Structures are given as structure tokens and as C-alpha cells.
Amino acid sequence: MAQPASATGSTVLPSVAALNDALRDASPADVIAAALRTIERDRLALVSSFGTESAALLKVMADVDPAIPVIFLDTGWLFEETLAYRDTLIATLGLKDVRSIQPSEDALKREDPERELWFSDPDACCRIRKVEPLARALQPFNAWINGRKRFQGGLRADMPVVEDDGARLKFNPFANASRADIEAIYTSAQLPPHPLVASGFLSVGCMPCTSRATANEDARAGRWRGRAKTECGIHTMKTS
């Protein structure tokens, strides 16, 4: 099935099924290189949280092309350590186009004036602080790259390498990667770890909804602990 026309123009993007078949067993670098060949650089973005495993994907991308635009969602609830880590990785990897995107001030004033929405309705909080800002940020792009892995489980366990995201292609270069593969990239490139890893944070998101996880727990166990929620929404809702 052909990919629908892009929201940014009338260009018909390549078949998702054909791309996924071609890249099913490709290395992360080869997936990113294929994305770059398929989509012009100014129409391709990588979305990164600059979290505990983000440096691996950013390193692979930088080796392919450090000028690929990187979208970073600055939700207003991030740890100061995450903001500092973003700046460290930009300098360490020579990233040339990192765009920090913030929520709409009007949406925050209208829906979260007391900054308590994370407690009463975390899905709504994620929507105004992550899902809607990302949809806005992706408007100029025909495709995006992210760092999800199948080993993270849940809704991620069966994801393809390339998928349809409404009007965009979505590349998952680390879909086939193991935790050992990620650790090997950190080791070989001597990448700095996220500052909170040493304190027991295995996966880092917004401060109110992130807690420490023990070594025998899933890495994302500390996200929205005690709630049924496991995803912020940017990977479960169409961004078109």
C-alpha cells in the first residue's frame, strides 16, 4: 500500500511495507542512512528525550549526519539534569540542529494553571506538554526517527522498523536492538551517561511522573508508577 500524501505537500512517500521489508534486518546506522536517502534532510527529524538511553541513537545519527534536525520536547517539568545532559550531548556529539520545543502558553494557562494536571489527569498533561507540541513541531517534516526498542516491552514489543504515522513515515532504527547493543555503543564511543542513572533512575521523563527503579524491574517501571499508564502518547497517537 502506498504511503499517503504528506501534510507538508503533495509528495507521495514510499510504501511503508516495502521500506520495512527492506530494512527489517538493517543496522541502526543503515536505517538512518536509508531514511536520509528517502527523505531530504530538511524533511526528516529525529525526536529525542535526551533520556537515559538517548545518547546511543544520537551518536549513530551524528555518525551518519550530525545536521539532521533533532526535536527535543521541553515540557516544563523536566529534571534540570536532563536539560544539562542535552547541552552536554550537543557539544559531545557535534549536533548541529537541536530544536527545543515547549508547550503552548495558552494551553497551559487554560488547562493547567495550577500545574497539578499531572496528578489529576496525566494523559491530559502529556497531551498538552508533549503530544500537541510534537504534532506542531513535526508539521514541516515528512518523516521522523525515534529510539524505541522492542525489548522495552508493552506496546513496543511488536513494532516494525518502519511504520505509518498518518501523513508521515516513522523510522525505528533500534527496534531490533538489545540492551547489550545499546550498552556497547555507550562503551565504544565513551558516551557520558545521563546524570540520574547513578541515582537509580533507569528511565527518565518528567519529574512528577518519574521514580527510581530497581535492577530487577523493567527499565520503564519508574514511569507513571502505580498507574495503568505506560506511554505519554506521542507513540500511540497520530501526529498528523
PDB file of all heavy atoms in Angstrom, residues 5 7 10 18 21 45 47 50 61 73 79 94 97 100 138 199-200 208 220-221 235 238:
ATOM      1  N   ALA A   5      -0.222  10.998   0.931  1.00  0.00           N
ATOM      2  CA  ALA A   5       0.490  12.242   0.660  1.00  0.00           C
ATOM      3  C   ALA A   5       0.852  12.942   1.948  1.00  0.00           C
ATOM      4  O   ALA A   5       0.103  12.924   2.927  1.00  0.00           O
ATOM      5  CB  ALA A   5      -0.383  13.151  -0.204  1.00  0.00           C
ATOM      6  N   ALA A   7       1.498  15.800   4.749  1.00  0.00           N
ATOM      7  CA  ALA A   7       0.790  17.011   5.159  1.00  0.00           C
ATOM      8  C   ALA A   7       1.548  18.257   4.737  1.00  0.00           C
ATOM      9  O   ALA A   7       0.986  19.343   4.703  1.00  0.00           O
ATOM     10  CB  ALA A   7       0.581  17.008   6.674  1.00  0.00           C
ATOM     11  N   SER A  10       2.262  17.722  -1.604  1.00  0.00           N
ATOM     12  CA  SER A  10       1.551  16.692  -2.344  1.00  0.00           C
ATOM     13  C   SER A  10       2.418  15.479  -2.639  1.00  0.00           C
ATOM     14  O   SER A  10       1.973  14.539  -3.280  1.00  0.00           O
ATOM     15  CB  SER A  10       1.029  17.274  -3.655  1.00  0.00           C
ATOM     16  OG  SER A  10       2.106  17.772  -4.427  1.00  0.00           O
ATOM     17  N   ALA A  18       7.163  -1.763   1.862  1.00  0.00           N
ATOM     18  CA  ALA A  18       8.380  -2.025   1.102  1.00  0.00           C
ATOM     19  C   ALA A  18       9.613  -1.580   1.878  1.00  0.00           C
ATOM     20  O   ALA A  18      10.628  -2.288   1.928  1.00  0.00           O
ATOM     21  CB  ALA A  18       8.318  -1.321  -0.248  1.00  0.00           C
ATOM     22  N   ASP A  21      10.191  -3.990   4.818  1.00  0.00           N
ATOM     23  CA  ASP A  21      10.770  -5.260   4.361  1.00  0.00           C
ATOM     24  C   ASP A  21      12.251  -5.093   4.040  1.00  0.00           C
ATOM     25  O   ASP A  21      13.074  -5.948   4.385  1.00  0.00           O
ATOM     26  CB  ASP A  21      10.030  -5.759   3.123  1.00  0.00           C
ATOM     27  CG  ASP A  21       8.650  -6.314   3.446  1.00  0.00           C
ATOM     28  OD1 ASP A  21       8.400  -6.578   4.643  1.00  0.00           O
ATOM     29  OD2 ASP A  21       7.832  -6.457   2.525  1.00  0.00           O
ATOM     30  N   ALA A  45      13.287  14.435  10.683  1.00  0.00           N
ATOM     31  CA  ALA A  45      13.659  14.864  12.037  1.00  0.00           C
ATOM     32  C   ALA A  45      13.841  13.652  12.934  1.00  0.00           C
ATOM     33  O   ALA A  45      13.213  12.609  12.734  1.00  0.00           O
ATOM     34  CB  ALA A  45      12.580  15.781  12.626  1.00  0.00           C
ATOM     35  N   VAL A  47      13.439  12.631  16.921  1.00  0.00           N
ATOM     36  CA  VAL A  47      12.835  13.093  18.166  1.00  0.00           C
ATOM     37  C   VAL A  47      13.539  12.407  19.326  1.00  0.00           C
ATOM     38  O   VAL A  47      13.620  11.182  19.377  1.00  0.00           O
ATOM     39  CB  VAL A  47      11.323  12.801  18.198  1.00  0.00           C
ATOM     40  CG1 VAL A  47      10.723  13.196  19.544  1.00  0.00           C
ATOM     41  CG2 VAL A  47      10.622  13.543  17.067  1.00  0.00           C
ATOM     42  N   PHE A  50      16.510  12.998  25.225  1.00  0.00           N
ATOM     43  CA  PHE A  50      17.794  13.143  25.908  1.00  0.00           C
ATOM     44  C   PHE A  50      17.732  12.431  27.268  1.00  0.00           C
ATOM     45  O   PHE A  50      18.171  12.942  28.289  1.00  0.00           O
ATOM     46  CB  PHE A  50      18.196  14.612  26.040  1.00  0.00           C
ATOM     47  CG  PHE A  50      18.656  15.205  24.734  1.00  0.00           C
ATOM     48  CD1 PHE A  50      17.741  15.628  23.774  1.00  0.00           C
ATOM     49  CD2 PHE A  50      20.005  15.317  24.456  1.00  0.00           C
ATOM     50  CE1 PHE A  50      18.158  16.146  22.561  1.00  0.00           C
ATOM     51  CE2 PHE A  50      20.446  15.834  23.236  1.00  0.00           C
ATOM     52  CZ  PHE A  50      19.512  16.259  22.284  1.00  0.00           C
ATOM     53  N   MET A  61      23.133   8.630  14.792  1.00  0.00           N
ATOM     54  CA  MET A  61      22.686   9.661  13.860  1.00  0.00           C
ATOM     55  C   MET A  61      23.813  10.620  13.507  1.00  0.00           C
ATOM     56  O   MET A  61      24.020  10.970  12.345  1.00  0.00           O
ATOM     57  CB  MET A  61      21.521  10.449  14.458  1.00  0.00           C
ATOM     58  CG  MET A  61      20.934  11.503  13.514  1.00  0.00           C
ATOM     59  SD  MET A  61      20.252  12.949  14.368  1.00  0.00           S
ATOM     60  CE  MET A  61      21.770  13.858  14.733  1.00  0.00           C
ATOM     61  N   LEU A  73      11.471  17.850  23.305  1.00  0.00           N
ATOM     62  CA  LEU A  73      10.266  18.385  23.939  1.00  0.00           C
ATOM     63  C   LEU A  73      10.582  18.830  25.356  1.00  0.00           C
ATOM     64  O   LEU A  73      10.756  18.014  26.258  1.00  0.00           O
ATOM     65  CB  LEU A  73       9.164  17.331  23.941  1.00  0.00           C
ATOM     66  CG  LEU A  73       8.709  16.848  22.558  1.00  0.00           C
ATOM     67  CD1 LEU A  73       7.710  15.703  22.693  1.00  0.00           C
ATOM     68  CD2 LEU A  73       8.104  17.995  21.753  1.00  0.00           C
ATOM     69  N   PHE A  79      13.674  17.326  34.567  1.00  0.00           N
ATOM     70  CA  PHE A  79      14.741  17.469  35.543  1.00  0.00           C
ATOM     71  C   PHE A  79      15.801  18.433  34.997  1.00  0.00           C
ATOM     72  O   PHE A  79      16.099  18.435  33.797  1.00  0.00           O
ATOM     73  CB  PHE A  79      15.421  16.121  35.806  1.00  0.00           C
ATOM     74  CG  PHE A  79      14.593  15.112  36.543  1.00  0.00           C
ATOM     75  CD1 PHE A  79      13.781  14.223  35.849  1.00  0.00           C
ATOM     76  CD2 PHE A  79      14.637  15.038  37.935  1.00  0.00           C
ATOM     77  CE1 PHE A  79      13.029  13.265  36.530  1.00  0.00           C
ATOM     78  CE2 PHE A  79      13.894  14.093  38.621  1.00  0.00           C
ATOM     79  CZ  PHE A  79      13.082  13.205  37.921  1.00  0.00           C
ATOM     80  N   GLY A  94      28.531  16.958  18.581  1.00  0.00           N
ATOM     81  CA  GLY A  94      28.565  17.930  17.491  1.00  0.00           C
ATOM     82  C   GLY A  94      27.241  18.068  16.769  1.00  0.00           C
ATOM     83  O   GLY A  94      27.211  18.300  15.553  1.00  0.00           O
ATOM     84  N   ASP A  97      21.648  20.879  14.854  1.00  0.00           N
ATOM     85  CA  ASP A  97      20.313  21.467  14.717  1.00  0.00           C
ATOM     86  C   ASP A  97      19.356  20.852  15.729  1.00  0.00           C
ATOM     87  O   ASP A  97      18.480  20.059  15.375  1.00  0.00           O
ATOM     88  CB  ASP A  97      19.795  21.264  13.284  1.00  0.00           C
ATOM     89  CG  ASP A  97      18.497  22.009  13.010  1.00  0.00           C
ATOM     90  OD1 ASP A  97      18.012  22.739  13.898  1.00  0.00           O
ATOM     91  OD2 ASP A  97      17.959  21.850  11.892  1.00  0.00           O
ATOM     92  N   SER A 100      14.531  22.909  20.712  1.00  0.00           N
ATOM     93  CA  SER A 100      13.795  22.685  21.957  1.00  0.00           C
ATOM     94  C   SER A 100      12.396  23.264  21.809  1.00  0.00           C
ATOM     95  O   SER A 100      12.234  24.470  21.610  1.00  0.00           O
ATOM     96  CB  SER A 100      14.533  23.335  23.136  1.00  0.00           C
ATOM     97  OG  SER A 100      15.746  22.661  23.387  1.00  0.00           O
ATOM     98  N   LEU A 138       6.416  18.754  14.187  1.00  0.00           N
ATOM     99  CA  LEU A 138       6.608  17.856  13.046  1.00  0.00           C
ATOM    100  C   LEU A 138       5.935  18.344  11.764  1.00  0.00           C
ATOM    101  O   LEU A 138       6.116  17.733  10.702  1.00  0.00           O
ATOM    102  CB  LEU A 138       6.084  16.459  13.380  1.00  0.00           C
ATOM    103  CG  LEU A 138       6.950  15.604  14.311  1.00  0.00           C
ATOM    104  CD1 LEU A 138       6.245  14.288  14.617  1.00  0.00           C
ATOM    105  CD2 LEU A 138       8.323  15.340  13.710  1.00  0.00           C
ATOM    106  N   SER A 199      21.793   7.542  40.256  1.00  0.00           N
ATOM    107  CA  SER A 199      20.878   7.648  41.393  1.00  0.00           C
ATOM    108  C   SER A 199      19.742   6.634  41.320  1.00  0.00           C
ATOM    109  O   SER A 199      18.813   6.693  42.130  1.00  0.00           O
ATOM    110  CB  SER A 199      20.297   9.068  41.460  1.00  0.00           C
ATOM    111  OG  SER A 199      21.319  10.025  41.607  1.00  0.00           O
ATOM    112  N   GLY A 200      19.789   5.736  40.326  1.00  0.00           N
ATOM    113  CA  GLY A 200      18.770   4.695  40.251  1.00  0.00           C
ATOM    114  C   GLY A 200      17.625   4.970  39.303  1.00  0.00           C
ATOM    115  O   GLY A 200      16.649   4.212  39.280  1.00  0.00           O
ATOM    116  N   PRO A 208       7.428  14.847  37.980  1.00  0.00           N
ATOM    117  CA  PRO A 208       6.362  14.304  38.842  1.00  0.00           C
ATOM    118  C   PRO A 208       6.007  12.856  38.548  1.00  0.00           C
ATOM    119  O   PRO A 208       5.481  12.163  39.426  1.00  0.00           O
ATOM    120  CB  PRO A 208       5.162  15.223  38.536  1.00  0.00           C
ATOM    121  CG  PRO A 208       5.737  16.445  37.899  1.00  0.00           C
ATOM    122  CD  PRO A 208       6.941  15.977  37.165  1.00  0.00           C
ATOM    123  N   ARG A 220      11.368   0.795  32.457  1.00  0.00           N
ATOM    124  CA  ARG A 220      10.334   1.831  32.460  1.00  0.00           C
ATOM    125  C   ARG A 220       9.361   1.692  33.632  1.00  0.00           C
ATOM    126  O   ARG A 220       8.331   2.361  33.664  1.00  0.00           O
ATOM    127  CB  ARG A 220       9.578   1.813  31.126  1.00  0.00           C
ATOM    128  CG  ARG A 220      10.439   2.318  29.974  1.00  0.00           C
ATOM    129  CD  ARG A 220       9.706   2.203  28.631  1.00  0.00           C
ATOM    130  NE  ARG A 220       8.485   2.992  28.576  1.00  0.00           N
ATOM    131  CZ  ARG A 220       8.427   4.290  28.300  1.00  0.00           C
ATOM    132  NH1 ARG A 220       9.548   4.965  28.085  1.00  0.00           N
ATOM    133  NH2 ARG A 220       7.262   4.919  28.242  1.00  0.00           N
ATOM    134  N   ALA A 221       9.682   0.848  34.598  1.00  0.00           N
ATOM    135  CA  ALA A 221       8.799   0.659  35.748  1.00  0.00           C
ATOM    136  C   ALA A 221       8.642   1.933  36.565  1.00  0.00           C
ATOM    137  O   ALA A 221       7.639   2.114  37.261  1.00  0.00           O
ATOM    138  CB  ALA A 221       9.336  -0.466  36.635  1.00  0.00           C
ATOM    139  N   HIS A 235       3.726   8.153  20.869  1.00  0.00           N
ATOM    140  CA  HIS A 235       3.902   6.954  20.047  1.00  0.00           C
ATOM    141  C   HIS A 235       2.612   6.158  19.899  1.00  0.00           C
ATOM    142  O   HIS A 235       2.614   5.103  19.269  1.00  0.00           O
ATOM    143  CB  HIS A 235       4.996   6.073  20.630  1.00  0.00           C
ATOM    144  CG  HIS A 235       6.348   6.696  20.604  1.00  0.00           C
ATOM    145  ND1 HIS A 235       6.979   7.069  19.442  1.00  0.00           N
ATOM    146  CD2 HIS A 235       7.187   7.050  21.607  1.00  0.00           C
ATOM    147  CE1 HIS A 235       8.157   7.608  19.722  1.00  0.00           C
ATOM    148  NE2 HIS A 235       8.295   7.603  21.027  1.00  0.00           N
ATOM    149  N   LYS A 238      -1.671   9.510  16.395  1.00  0.00           N
ATOM    150  CA  LYS A 238      -1.179  10.013  15.129  1.00  0.00           C
ATOM    151  C   LYS A 238      -0.737  11.479  15.314  1.00  0.00           C
ATOM    152  O   LYS A 238      -1.394  12.246  15.991  1.00  0.00           O
ATOM    153  CB  LYS A 238      -2.267   9.952  14.060  1.00  0.00           C
ATOM    154  CG  LYS A 238      -2.739   8.529  13.750  1.00  0.00           C
ATOM    155  CD  LYS A 238      -1.641   7.683  13.142  1.00  0.00           C
ATOM    156  CE  LYS A 238      -2.161   6.325  12.728  1.00  0.00           C
ATOM    157  NZ  LYS A 238      -1.099   5.442  12.191  1.00  0.00           N
TER     158      LYS A 238
END
